[in-house]
Amino acid sequence: MNSPLRTEAVTVHQIARPDGFPACEHFRFVETPVPEPARGTALVENLYWSVDPYHREMMDAEFALNAPLEGRTLGRVVASRDPALVEGTMVFHRRGWRTHAVVRPDEVQPLPDLPGVPLSAHLGLLGGTGLTAYVALTRIAPLREGDDLFVSGAAGAVGTAVGRFARLLGARLLVGSTGSAAKARYLTERVGYDRAFDYRDGPVAELLARAAPDGVDVFVDNVGGDHLAAAVGALRERGRIVRVGTISQYNRRDAPPVRFDHADFVEKSLRLEGFLVRDHGDLRDELYDFAVPHLLAGRLTSDETVVVGFERIVAAFTSMLRGGNTGKMIIRATGA
């Protein structure tokens, strides 16, 4: 068994519950010797980390204090004591926010060899982000060819994936909301959205009415709040809403309730459904069959904000929560 070259491992612990936006003082970097794998496990040196909005929700209660945080991660098996985990294998696992992790075979997914596909895509379009977008558009609120679609938080990881997938699935009009004029231009110039607006420019309902005066068929919601209310009013008969996230409330426990005309759900036969991507892992192969050919042909591109250096993971996370990313926020190990 070959030992890794590094002699210390670094993990990030949450040490306090934030009230509002998290800050550096809510975390601590902890150094320990690189762990040795026990029989039936392997040591993974992590190379890419994902920070996601759902981490903020988990900080309120689900993450244990003074213990390593969890998250989606890609790494290389560097020492193994289980024949199912061959040294040198690249794997996906959820024991992130640390430089090294000891894992069992049932805790990892070996990455397929896909020449021409960036490794980071396994955290983005081929990972939980892409699976979220794919499930939303094919299972929860099935997109029909020619449908018009509105996406809130459209410049984020899921929002950009939804836009790119929806175009490939035959959407007619794509409208997105985002938090700056620069991101709105990115959506229309790079991602494939037809129209995009900065939600800070006025009431969302008015901005959406200008962008989609004839209404929309599907709303993919990453934000909640006034975006959800605006979409309910804009949806056509038999419109569908898929709830992916509620970014507007993650850092505001006192956020006011959403106000909309509840009669719209009856009079327009609307449907609203949310889901957790962890319940749809059985569709991962289907996602690969859909996305990989488009990636290899150049019809599909990953939208990423890449931060280099594990020591910047907390700063990247807090930046993401304040809209500092376009597309997927990924941390890459120095030298990876």
Side-chain angles (χ1 to χ4, degrees), residues 50-113:
S50 171
V51 291
D52 300 286
Y54 80 86
H55 287 132
R56 175 61 189 89
E57 287 188 289
M58 297 185 72
M59 289 184 69
D60 287 335
E62 294 186 55
F63 281 144
L65 296 182
N66 301 301
L69 296 177
E70 304 295 331
R72 300 177 179 126
T73 309
L74 306 179
R76 179 182 292 110
V77 176
V78 293
S80 178
R81 296 193 64 190
D82 191 294
L85 293 172
V86 178
E87 292 179 13
T89 302
M90 296 297 302
V91 297
F92 165 89
H93 64 92
R94 301 187 66 92
R95 298 175 66 79
W97 292 69
R98 65 193 85 188
T99 58
H100 298 76
V102 174
V103 298
R104 302 187 308 271
D106 62 347
E107 293 177 317
V108 304
Q109 297 172 8
L111 299 183
D113 185 19

Side-chain angles (χ1 to χ4, degrees), residues 299-310:
R299 295 184 295 268
L300 185 59
T301 303
S302 294
D303 300 279
E304 299 176 345
T305 298
V306 179
V307 174
V308 179
F310 177 76

Side-chain angles (χ1 to χ4, degrees), residues 150 152 204 219 221 223-233 235 241 243 258-260 265 272:
F150 172 46
S152 62
V204 174
F219 174 45
D221 189 17
V223 175
D226 53 358
H227 284 75
L228 176 57
V232 170
L235 281 164
I241 302 169
R243 296 296 315 284
V258 180
R259 297 186 180 278
F260 54 82
F265 275 86
L272 182 153

Side-chain angles (χ1 to χ4, degrees), residues 156-191:
V158 172
T160 51
V162 166
R164 293 189 182 276
F165 286 2
R167 186 60 76 197
L168 293 169
L169 290 167
R172 183 177 63 172
L173 176 70
L174 288 177
V175 177
S177 73
T178 186
S180 72
K183 287 185 176 181
R185 288 193 300 272
Y186 181 90
L187 289 172
T188 56
E189 295 173 3
R190 301 281 297 278
V191 181

Side-chain angles (χ1 to χ4, degrees), residues 100-298:
H100 298 76
V102 174
V103 298
R104 302 187 308 271
D106 62 347
E107 293 177 317
V108 304
Q109 297 172 8
L111 299 183
D113 185 19
L114 299 173
V117 174
L119 192 63
S120 58
H122 293 282
L123 289 177
L125 291 176
L126 300 181
T129 295
L131 188 59
T132 299
Y134 186 77
V135 170
L137 294 175
T138 65
R139 296 303 195 278
I140 309 302
L143 183 72
R144 308 181 187 105
E145 188 168 356
D147 275 347
D148 297 334
L149 178 73
F150 172 46
V151 183
S152 62
V158 172
T160 51
V162 166
R164 293 189 182 276
F165 286 2
R167 186 60 76 197
L168 293 169
L169 290 167
R172 183 177 63 172
L173 176 70
L174 288 177
V175 177
S177 73
T178 186
S180 72
K183 287 185 176 181
R185 288 193 300 272
Y186 181 90
L187 289 172
T188 56
E189 295 173 3
R190 301 281 297 278
V191 181
Y193 278 83
D194 298 291
R195 298 164 194 166
F197 59 82
D198 179 352
Y199 66 83
R200 294 185 174 92
D201 285 345
V204 174
E206 295 180 9
L207 297 169
L208 177 57
R210 289 203 292 267
D214 297 324
V216 295
D217 301 292
V218 177
F219 174 45
V220 179
D221 189 17
N222 297 289
V223 175
D226 53 358
H227 284 75
L228 176 57
V232 170
L235 281 164
R236 301 179 183 129
E237 187 174 350
R238 300 194 183 280
R240 289 92 70 203
I241 302 169
V242 53
R243 296 296 315 284
V244 174
T246 312
I247 297 172
S248 64
Q249 297 178 16
Y250 287 165
N251 299 292
R252 293 183 57 195
R253 296 181 182 176
D254 60 346
V258 180
R259 297 186 180 278
F260 54 82
D261 187 349
H262 290 74
D264 278 344
F265 275 86
V266 176
E267 294 171 1
K268 295 194 288 186
S269 299
L270 304 182
R271 182 164 62 85
L272 182 153
E273 185 176 350
F275 72 101
L276 295 173
V277 71
R278 69 188 182 200
D279 296 329
H280 297 272
D282 59 311
L283 296 178
R284 189 171 300 278
D285 288 343
E286 186 176 318
L287 168 66
Y288 272 58
D289 291 342
F290 168 75
V292 170
H294 290 302
L295 281 167
L296 294 176

